[in-house]
Amino acid sequence: MNLEKVIFGFFVVLAATLNFGFFIGDIADPALHNIFELFAAVVVNLIATVLKFGDRTQIGAVHLATSLVADLQLIAAATVWAYAAATTAGPLSAAATSSVVSLSGGALLANLVSVTLLLIETVSFHRR
């Protein structure tokens, strides 16, 4: 078993599951979307991105592209959350929550593409 592949797969799947956990729920209800879960999704996605830098194959390039898209979407979601929290008193409005969750949905789609690529790469692997 290749420990590097295990760690890589772990972070790719963890990034997708954390993102899914944040995304799921009523899009406009801030009580269903935890800021710490969004923060964890951002951090794990950034770690997964760093792990994807070493692969020089075509599928590695697509892995990196999907990870960069997810990072951009999640950082934008965190920025919207921070701005909305700084400019309003009390909980986030439904409009701000909808924007944050929508951005995390884009990141979730990118993460699902990355997980699909990982599965295709794993299935097509031929042991020598």
Side-chain angles (χ1 to χ4, degrees), residues 2-67:
N2 186 342
L3 183 61
E4 181 180 325
K5 293 287 185 184
V6 171
I7 292 171
F8 176 74
F10 171 79
F11 278 102
V12 168
V13 173
L14 183 61
T17 58
L18 283 171
N19 195 351
F20 180 77
F22 177 78
F23 177 77
I24 200 74
D26 182 13
I27 193 167
D29 188 357
L32 300 177
H33 306 284
N34 189 314
I35 186 67
F36 297 111
E37 194 164 17
L38 177 61
F39 176 74
V42 170
V43 170
V44 171
N45 267 284
L46 289 172
I47 291 170
T49 300
V50 169
L51 292 174
K52 293 175 183 179
F53 272 112
D55 194 351
R56 300 277 185 217
T57 63
Q58 178 63 33
I59 201 162
V62 178
H63 263 300
L64 181 60
T66 60
S67 192

Side-chain angles (χ1 to χ4, degrees), residues 55-96:
D55 194 351
R56 300 277 185 217
T57 63
Q58 178 63 33
I59 201 162
V62 178
H63 263 300
L64 181 60
T66 60
S67 192
L68 290 171
V69 168
D71 291 342
L72 182 65
Q73 295 272 15
L74 288 173
I75 290 169
T79 302
V80 169
W81 188 308
Y83 178 77
T87 58
T88 60
L92 256 55
S93 67

